[in-house]
Structure formats: structure tokens, C-alpha cells
Amino acid sequence: MNRAMTQGYRRPQDIRSERRIRNNRIRRRREMRKNFLLFVLTFCLIVTTSIAVSSFRSNAKNDPSQEASKYYKSIVVSDNDTLWSIAEEYMNEAYYGSIYEYIREVMQINSLTNDAIYADAHLIVPYYDTANK
């Protein structure tokens, strides 16, 4: 080693080289921060877009024009019909809590005092349908 290096003296080329090395490190750190920030922003944009698209698609599935409407139909009671068999045929479980609710509504609509029905009688029964819109 030469004497200048041991006494703390540095040559101008060494000083420039150290500055260049330090500046390169600083520049690389800035680029890494910038790239990381760009990655985070891109990720946030992708997540936000996917949430928006999925929300739009779920709203399309719940389109109110596809909801069922309530209709009424007049039927003729046959020999083997009961209110329960009629309820099984016309009741939509999505709109009634139980078969008993549906039967109560049929009895109320037709002014029945009990659940006895007779062949060739006419009953008005409610039903839900989307096809008639």
C-alpha cells in the first residue's frame, strides 16, 4: 500500500468513483421504490376493477324484470283433488313460508270455512310466474 492511502489521503479519481457508486445506489433505490409503487397501484387498480365488474354482474343476475309476479287462476276440482294436492301443484316455496300459508290464502280467496272441497267446484288459486311479463 502506498503511504497516501494509509494517511487518509484520497485521490480525486477515488472520490469521483465513490460519488458515482453512492449516486448509483441512490438512483437504484429510487427506481425500486418507483417500481414498487407502480406495482401496488396496478394491483389496486386490478382489484378495484374486478370488484366493480363482479358487482355489475351480480346486479345483472338480480334483474328485477326477472322477478316473478303473482297471478290468479280458476281451476275445476277433480275427484281426487285436495287443498294439499292443489297447493303442491301451484305453490311456489320461495313466496310462502309453508304449505299451510298457501292453503289459508286459497281458503280466504274462495271464502271457504274449512278445507273440504268437492269435485267440479271452481277454485281461484294464486301462483307466481315470470313468463307472463
Side-chain angles (χ1 to χ4, degrees):
M1 246 197 235
N2 74 23
R3 198 168 60 109
M5 293 297 275
T6 58
Q7 294 178 355
Y9 175 77
R10 295 187 296 182
R11 297 181 306 178
Q13 298 97 342
D14 295 338
I15 294 172
R16 282 186 298 234
S17 177
E18 287 176 10
R19 261 192 218 137
R20 209 176 18 232
I21 291 170
R22 190 172 357 107
N23 288 340
N24 283 341
R25 283 184 186 149
I26 292 169
R27 190 181 74 242
R28 279 193 305 258
R29 283 186 192 138
R30 286 180 185 159
E31 285 179 5
M32 286 179 62
R33 283 186 197 135
K34 185 175 88 174
N35 288 341
F36 178 74
L37 183 61
L38 186 62
F39 170 77
V40 169
L41 290 175
T42 303
F43 179 77
C44 290
L45 180 65
I46 289 171
V47 168
T48 303
T49 304
S50 66
I51 289 172
V53 167
S54 67
S55 135
F56 175 77
R57 290 183 69 194
S58 70
N59 285 343
K61 289 178 187 172
N62 297 331
D63 187 10
S65 66
Q66 294 300 318
E67 289 181 14
S69 295
K70 189 175 191 176
Y71 297 96
Y72 297 91
K73 181 177 189 175
S74 177
I75 62 167
V76 177
V77 178
S78 66
D79 288 336
N80 297 328
D81 281 342
T82 64
L83 286 178
W84 279 264
S85 65
I86 292 170
E88 287 174 355
E89 184 177 346
Y90 291 100
M91 182 182 97
N92 187 330
E93 290 149 356
Y95 298 97
Y96 293 97
S98 70
I99 195 166
Y100 300 107
E101 284 183 36
Y102 183 83
I103 291 173
R104 276 194 294 269
E105 184 175 353
V106 170
M107 289 174 63
Q108 180 184 7
I109 292 170
N110 293 287
S111 302
L112 299 175
T113 56
N114 59 35
D115 61 355
I117 56 174
Y118 303 99
D120 297 328
H122 291 271
L123 287 180
I124 297 173
V125 294
Y127 68 98
Y128 285 85
D129 193 11
T130 57
N132 293 334
K133 283 199 164 196

